[in-house]
Amino acid sequence: MEAGSFTADFLKQNHDLYSAATNHSFIASIRDGSIDAQNFKLWMEQDYHFVREFVRFVASVLVKMPRDSPECDVDIILGGITALESEITWFRKEANFWQIFLERVTLLQPNKDYCAFLKQLEGSDTPFTVAISAFWLIELVYCVSFMSCLEKDAKTPFELISTVKRWGSPEFHDYTLKLMKLVDKALENASKDEQKQAHEGSSTRFPYLWSLNPVFTSTQVMSADLQNEGLCAGFGAGA
């Protein structure tokens, strides 16, 4: 990340939001090993439906991409769509293992609000520079969050290691770097008006991507109810 670039400046200006998002209490509970099986299942349910909506958003990013974009840049977005297709298949397979009935899931309000926000970004009034920036940020938060659960001092439950590696892998981290470079490149070539919109987004629209992370927040809300009802059980304790 080059100093003075949009991505570097954005993360610096929004350090507190970025830190809060990547150290969310849900992620912290995985990292310190305190997460229970029911909360993990709640996350699986909500994230599956979020990803289905996210695919539509990423497809809209591709549509907004300038037609004269180099093939290598187009391939980055296409690669994201392909990965999300694989991710949906993975969720369905894991749902069978965890005995989760995805078709019966009800979206919680934080997730509904977040998906509605993505739909706004899909609109024709949102330029490519803003859309690709949002795409980068969403993937970045997921990657950095789950990478922390693979650090040497992490106590991530053995049952969740494969899940954490899916988003905390070096390969996914490399992909976020490709998106970051795409964002900076797009803004370098953008009109002054589009650059202004992207920078204004850093203080108005984009923080929403972090402060209302759908799957983490939804799980946090539901876990409080489950704890009150005594329905939480740790891994290895009747999960």
Side-chain angles (χ1 to χ4, degrees):
M1 189 179 303
E2 297 181 5
S5 66
F6 170 80
T7 51
D9 290 344
F10 179 86
L11 293 179
K12 182 178 180 180
Q13 293 167 9
N14 294 276
H15 177 268
D16 290 344
L17 279 172
Y18 176 66
S19 179
T22 53
N23 291 281
H24 193 282
S25 58
F26 173 71
I27 290 297
S29 71
I30 296 177
R31 191 167 54 234
D32 65 20
S34 65
I35 187 173
D36 59 79
Q38 192 60 39
N39 280 359
F40 174 72
K41 291 180 181 180
L42 285 171
W43 171 76
M44 288 280 291
E45 294 172 354
Q46 294 297 311
D47 201 39
Y48 168 74
H49 287 278
F50 163 73
V51 170
R52 287 178 61 85
E53 186 61 45
F54 191 49
V55 172
R56 294 184 175 88
F57 164 69
V58 178
S60 77
V61 176
L62 181 61
V63 171
K64 295 174 188 295
M65 198 170 199
R67 288 189 175 275
D68 59 351
S69 297
E71 286 190 13
C72 58
D73 291 351
V74 176
D75 287 346
I76 293 174
I77 307 301
L78 286 174
I81 295 175
T82 301
L84 288 170
E85 180 184 12
S86 172
E87 196 168 299
I88 289 174
T89 300
W90 176 85
F91 268 111
R92 290 170 178 163
K93 180 180 178 181
E94 288 295 304
N96 289 331
F97 176 80
W98 293 99
Q99 297 184 324
I100 298 172
F101 301 97
L102 295 173
E103 69 277 4
R104 301 180 187 176
V105 174
T106 299
L107 283 186
L108 298 177
Q109 196 58 50
N111 209 350
K112 287 181 180 179
D113 293 342
Y114 199 89
C115 289
F117 176 66
L118 288 181
K119 288 180 180 179
Q120 290 180 18
L121 292 178
E122 292 169 18
S124 58
D125 59 330
T126 300
F128 172 70
T129 48
V130 174
I132 188 63
S133 297
F135 182 24
W136 162 65
L137 284 169
I138 292 171
E139 297 290 54
L140 178 66
V141 168
Y142 265 75
C143 180
V144 174
S145 296
F146 285 104
M147 280 179 64
S148 70
C149 298
L150 294 171
E151 294 174 351
K152 289 184 178 181
D153 60 344
K155 300 178 181 178
T156 300
F158 173 79
E159 297 90 335
L160 301 187
I161 292 297
S162 62
T163 297
V164 169
K165 283 184 176 179
R166 187 170 188 88
W167 288 278
S169 68
E171 293 78 13
F172 187 42
H173 180 251
D174 288 343
Y175 183 69
T176 65
L177 293 178
K178 290 180 181 178
L179 287 177
M180 178 193 72
K181 292 178 181 178
L182 202 54
V183 171
D184 286 328
K185 180 179 179 180
L187 284 164
E188 286 176 4
N189 299 323
S191 65
K192 290 185 178 180
D193 183 57
E194 288 180 341
Q195 291 177 349
K196 181 180 179 181
Q197 286 187 59
H199 279 279
E200 287 178 346
S202 67
S203 60
T204 55
R205 300 172 78 183
F206 288 169
Y208 185 91
L209 295 172
W210 298 343
S211 63
L212 195 59
N213 188 297
V215 289
F216 299 165
T217 301
S218 294
T219 302
Q220 184 180 37
V221 170
M222 284 296 291
S223 67
D225 294 336
L226 290 168
Q227 288 171 356
N228 290 336
E229 295 174 16
L231 297 178
C232 290
F235 284 95

